[in-house]
Amino acid sequence: MTFDDLERDRIAACRELIAARAFAAEHLRGVLTHDRSWDAMQRLYLATLERKEFLQSWFAPEVPANAHRIASRLRSLGLIATSIDPRDHRRILVNLTKQGQTAMEAVIDYLLCAGFARG
């Protein structure tokens, strides 16, 4: 699998953003850093960039009902689409919609322009 320079930069920026959120959550003990929908969008965007499938259960692996709530919220905002995995009907696949992809690219590209990360 090959990535162009922009894709590599976006992957690096997204990984740094995820790491920064985890670092802040650890040091602030979750205060001001608790938004599971935003965290889910970051992980889904990274999986999309890396051309990996993403399961709804990965939104909140510790509590399946939370994963469903997160997916419902993001779906109602038009940011994701879900479908049943044809290989295993118990699994729900998640993909960014065009709107979700565009929104995440705008955030990551803003961070890149601000010098947040470079692959």
Side-chain angles (χ1 to χ4, degrees):
M1 181 171 358
T2 60
F3 300 104
D4 64 28
D5 289 341
L6 179 57
E7 287 174 317
R8 273 192 296 279
D9 286 347
R10 285 176 172 164
I11 288 169
C14 193
R15 285 178 190 242
E16 284 194 37
L17 182 60
I18 290 168
R21 297 243 331 140
F23 181 84
E26 178 183 333
H27 293 314
L28 297 173
R29 301 181 193 264
V31 177
L32 305 176
T33 62
H34 191 71
D35 185 343
R36 291 179 188 224
S37 296
W38 174 232
D39 294 338
M41 285 294 291
Q42 292 171 56
R43 291 191 309 272
L44 176 56
Y45 180 67
L46 180 60
T48 300
L49 286 172
E50 294 178 334
R51 300 178 185 104
K52 296 177 181 176
E53 74 177 16
F54 194 91
L55 300 177
Q56 177 176 293
S57 60
W58 296 347
F59 281 156
E62 65 285 348
V63 182
N66 287 346
H68 177 74
R69 278 192 278 284
I70 292 166
S72 293
R73 179 170 183 240
L74 296 174
R75 198 173 33 252
S76 72
L77 294 170
L79 299 172
I80 67 165
T82 57
S83 61
I84 301 296
D85 184 342
R87 296 177 313 247
D88 183 343
H89 295 275
R90 297 169 296 176
R91 300 178 351 152
I92 299 172
L93 299 172
V94 181
N95 292 292
L96 290 170
T97 60
K98 181 66 176 161
Q99 178 183 345
Q101 179 82 22
T102 300
M104 289 304 298
E105 285 173 356
V107 170
I108 296 299
D109 290 350
Y110 172 83
L111 294 173
L112 287 172
C113 287
F116 186 71
R118 286 285 173 213

